[in-house]
């Protein structure tokens, strides 16, 4: 058995490693080859190229790297077909993987795509290409299956891996103990040194993981926090940063806010959010993580005007954050672009910090959504792939008979 996997992002490396662990229980003697990162390699995976060669974003960078990307894709196609692979699984990276999958499917190789592109949100025409490219689509979110069923694309909802990592019930006191220990570790604290008080309100602040996000969103957040500190006595703020570059960028911004009680910590965003009373965040996966931790949140996003104009003209959904998309209603406030004003964000954060009734209501709603997307994703995905391969073997036996 030869199983190909192609992942182009670190998030895909996490998914790929979990999938390989479960597939090895079904196919212990199989070979796992393609493109993956350190976690997949630790599971016995052979990566033909470094995973970061596929990690490109936006519109311009892929064009600059186009000759290299085309060369990698051609090499993978030839390798998978020349060595008679039983199945090739593309994890996310749809711009690269769906074209590869379409070629492989035409050559008779079974193809699976793991993590649906956001066809329900924008560029729905892509689903026609996906229908030609895959024998099976594995989705992380339950509402994604309907659109594939409309186009007769075999689809299986397997659940979101993050929902398996977080417990349904959250122990905030234990989380506060953990955060207190982290903040006492001088090697982790990048700036500030609050004497963490468990009985004082704590706001987790996450202004994004990319330079452009922090450039636009960071200054707004610091103005909001200034206002909140004037209203909420003894408010504590912890900013977990995605990497060293963002930490330095935020420290530079905060030079203009010398009196804010902000502590910057390297990483540990889950621990910080788990201990917090509310979360102020830039839209993205962090909103899903805050939901799984059952935290009141305010979702903010700003981008360059031209980019926003292009994306907003293509967007087909009324919401951008996963909690609202899953609930199909405005559970959490989304303050986007011109609506992301200091006044509006401050009003929302103060409500989330001060309303015990809201905290109770949102905890119940988030628990229901957590249960909705919890599905033992690694095992469910491996089983779906096994079922696909088993059906192909059965069909071949019928044809031979």
């Amino acid at each position: 058995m030869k199983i190909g996997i192609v992942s182009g992002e670190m998030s895909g490396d996490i998914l790929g490693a979990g999938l390989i662990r479960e597939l090895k229980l079904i196919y212990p003697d199989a070979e796992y080859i393609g493109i993956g990162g350190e976690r997949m390699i630790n599971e016995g995976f052979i990566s033909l190229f470094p995973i970061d060669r596929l990690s490109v974003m936006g519109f311009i960078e892929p064009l600059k790297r186009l000759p290299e990307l085309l060369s990698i894709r051609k090499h993978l196609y030839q390798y998978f077909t020349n060595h008679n692979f039983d199945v090739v699984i593309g994890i996310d990276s749809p711009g690269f993987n769906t074209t590869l999958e379409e070629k492989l499917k035409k050559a008779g190789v079974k193809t699976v795509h793991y993590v649906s592109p956001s066809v329900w949100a924008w560029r729905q025409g892509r689903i026609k290409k996906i229908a030609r490219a895959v024998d099976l689509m594995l989705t992380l979110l339950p509402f994604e299956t309907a659109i594939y069923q409309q186009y007769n694309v075999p689809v299986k909802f397997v659940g979101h891996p993050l929902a398996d990592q977080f417990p349904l019930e959250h122990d905030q006191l234990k989380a506060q103990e953990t955060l207190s220990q982290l903040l006492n570790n001088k090697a982790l604290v990048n700036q500030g040194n609050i004497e963490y008080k468990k009985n004082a309100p704590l706001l987790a602040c996450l202004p994004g993981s990319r330079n452009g996000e922090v450039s636009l969103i960071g200054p707004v957040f610091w103005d909001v926090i200034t206002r909140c500190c004037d209203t909420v006595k003894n408010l504590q703020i912890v900013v977990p940063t995605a990497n060293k570059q963002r930490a330095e960028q935020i420290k530079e911004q905060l030079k203009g806010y010398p009196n804010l009680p902000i502590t910057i910590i390297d990483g540990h965003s889950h621990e910080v959010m788990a201990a917090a009373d509310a979360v102020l965040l830039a839209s993205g996966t962090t909103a899903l993580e805050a939901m799984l931790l059952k935290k009141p949140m305010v979702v903010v996003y700003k981008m360059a005007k031209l980019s926003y104009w292009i994306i907003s003209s293509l967007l087909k959904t009324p919401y951008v954050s996963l909690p609202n998309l899953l609930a199909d209603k405005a559970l959490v406030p989304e303050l986007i672009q011109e609506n992301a004003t200091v006044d509006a964000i401050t009003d929302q954060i103060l409500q989330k910090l001060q309303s015990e009734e809201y905290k109770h209501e949102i905890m119940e709603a988030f628990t229901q959504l957590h249960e909705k997307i919890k599905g033992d994703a690694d095992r469910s995905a491996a089983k779906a792939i096994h079922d696909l391969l088993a059906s192909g073997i059965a069909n071949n036996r019928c044809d031979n008979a």
Side-chain angles (χ1 to χ4, degrees):
M1 178 72 71
K2 290 184 172 64
I3 297 175
I5 304 177
V6 180
S7 173
E9 299 285 346
M10 288 301 114
S11 58
D13 185 40
I14 295 171
L15 287 175
L19 178 61
I20 291 169
R21 277 194 298 272
E22 293 297 330
L23 284 171
K24 285 195 296 187
L25 298 176
I26 305 171
Y27 307 111
D29 298 322
E31 298 177 55
Y32 300 89
I33 304 172
I35 298 181
E38 184 177 343
R39 292 177 179 86
M40 292 169 65
I41 292 168
N42 288 340
E43 295 296 331
F45 182 80
I46 298 171
S47 190
L48 302 174
F49 296 91
I51 191 172
D52 63 6
R53 302 320 301 158
L54 297 190
S55 299
V56 292
M57 298 187 66
F59 299 103
I60 304 302
E61 189 180 356
L63 291 176
K64 291 180 179 178
R65 298 261 313 279
L66 187 59
E68 180 190 6
L69 294 171
L70 291 175
S71 175
I72 292 173
R73 191 156 60 195
K74 181 179 179 180
H75 181 93
L76 289 172
Y77 171 78
Q78 291 174 340
Y79 189 92
F80 291 143
T81 52
N82 290 344
H83 291 82
N84 299 315
F85 271 65
D86 297 274
V87 63
V88 173
I89 304 151
I91 301 180
D92 211 351
S93 302
F96 183 91
N97 275 328
T98 50
T99 298
L100 175 62
E101 290 157 0
E102 184 176 10
K103 287 182 155 187
L104 289 168
K105 186 179 177 183
K106 287 180 180 176
V109 180
K110 290 288 185 184
T111 58
V112 177
H113 194 86
Y114 191 7
V115 184
S116 169
S118 301
V119 290
W120 37 268
W122 67 303
R123 290 179 58 199
Q124 292 186 358
R126 290 177 291 172
I127 199 165
K128 294 178 182 178
K129 180 175 181 178
I130 293 169
R132 298 192 303 267
V134 305
D135 292 294
L136 177 65
M137 171 64 72
L138 301 177
T139 71
L140 306 187
L141 305 171
F143 61 80
E144 293 175 318
T145 59
I147 189 166
Y148 290 105
Q149 290 168 344
Q150 291 174 19
Y151 286 83
N152 297 315
V153 179
V155 60
K156 174 71 175 177
F157 163 63
V158 298
H160 203 294
L162 278 176
D164 299 323
Q165 296 176 24
F166 291 85
L168 284 172
E169 294 186 4
H170 169 65
D171 187 341
Q172 187 170 2
L173 291 176
K174 185 177 179 180
Q176 289 171 344
E177 291 284 353
T178 300
L179 180 60
S180 180
Q181 293 172 13
L182 290 171
L183 293 177
N184 286 330
N185 186 340
K186 296 187 184 302
L188 292 177
V189 176
N190 205 298
Q191 177 174 301
N193 192 13
I194 64 170
E195 185 179 341
Y196 179 56
K197 301 181 180 67
K198 297 172 192 173
N199 58 346
L202 174 66
L203 175 66
C205 181
L206 296 94
S209 60
R210 300 187 181 98
N211 180 288
E213 291 174 331
V214 175
S215 294
L216 291 169
I217 297 171
V220 179
F221 278 14
W222 317 138
D223 286 339
V224 167
I225 290 170
T226 301
R227 298 266 193 95
C228 290
C229 287
D230 291 337
T231 303
V232 181
K233 186 178 179 181
N234 298 323
L235 179 63
Q236 305 170 107
I237 301 97
V238 178
V239 181
T241 57
N243 51 52
K244 295 287 187 183
Q245 291 82 5
R246 296 295 77 73
E248 292 304 312
Q249 185 181 8
I250 290 169
K251 284 168 66 175
E252 186 65 28
Q253 290 180 349
L254 288 174
K255 287 180 179 178
Y257 302 82
N259 299 319
L260 286 184
I262 290 179
T263 294
I264 301 172
I265 185 171
D266 294 332
H268 298 282
S269 61
H270 292 172
E271 291 87 348
V272 174
M273 288 193 288
D277 296 289
V279 182
L280 175 61
L281 58 90
S283 180
T285 305
T286 305
L288 177 63
E289 295 168 340
M291 183 199 88
L292 294 171
L293 287 164
K294 320 300 184 295
K295 293 297 169 181
M297 73 184 86
V298 176
V299 176
V300 176
Y301 209 74
K302 293 173 77 73
M303 62 180 70
K305 290 182 179 179
L306 179 59
S307 297
Y308 178 74
W309 179 80
I310 294 171
I311 290 175
S312 61
S313 66
L314 297 172
L315 202 62
K316 304 296 182 184
T317 63
Y319 309 114
V320 298
S321 68
L322 279 172
N324 290 346
L325 287 165
L326 285 166
D328 196 24
K329 62 180 179 180
L331 276 183
V332 304
E334 297 178 353
L335 299 170
I336 311 298
Q337 208 64 7
E338 67 272 6
N339 293 322
T341 65
V342 173
D343 286 343
I345 299 169
T346 302
D347 288 345
Q348 290 291 343
I349 279 293
L350 289 175
Q351 180 198 0
K352 306 303 174 279
L353 284 168
Q354 296 173 327
S355 173
E356 291 300 322
E357 181 181 357
Y358 176 83
K359 290 179 185 178
H360 179 73
E361 290 174 356
I362 206 66
M363 185 178 293
E364 286 189 350
F366 285 169
T367 299
Q368 291 175 6
L369 293 179
H370 192 159
E371 291 173 332
K372 190 175 180 180
I373 64 171
K374 184 178 173 66
D376 198 353
D378 295 337
R379 185 174 300 176
S380 297
K383 183 181 182 304
I385 292 166
H386 168 65
D387 291 344
L388 173 69
L389 293 174
S391 67
I393 293 169
N395 290 337
N396 286 339
R397 284 174 180 162
C398 291
D399 292 340
N400 293 334

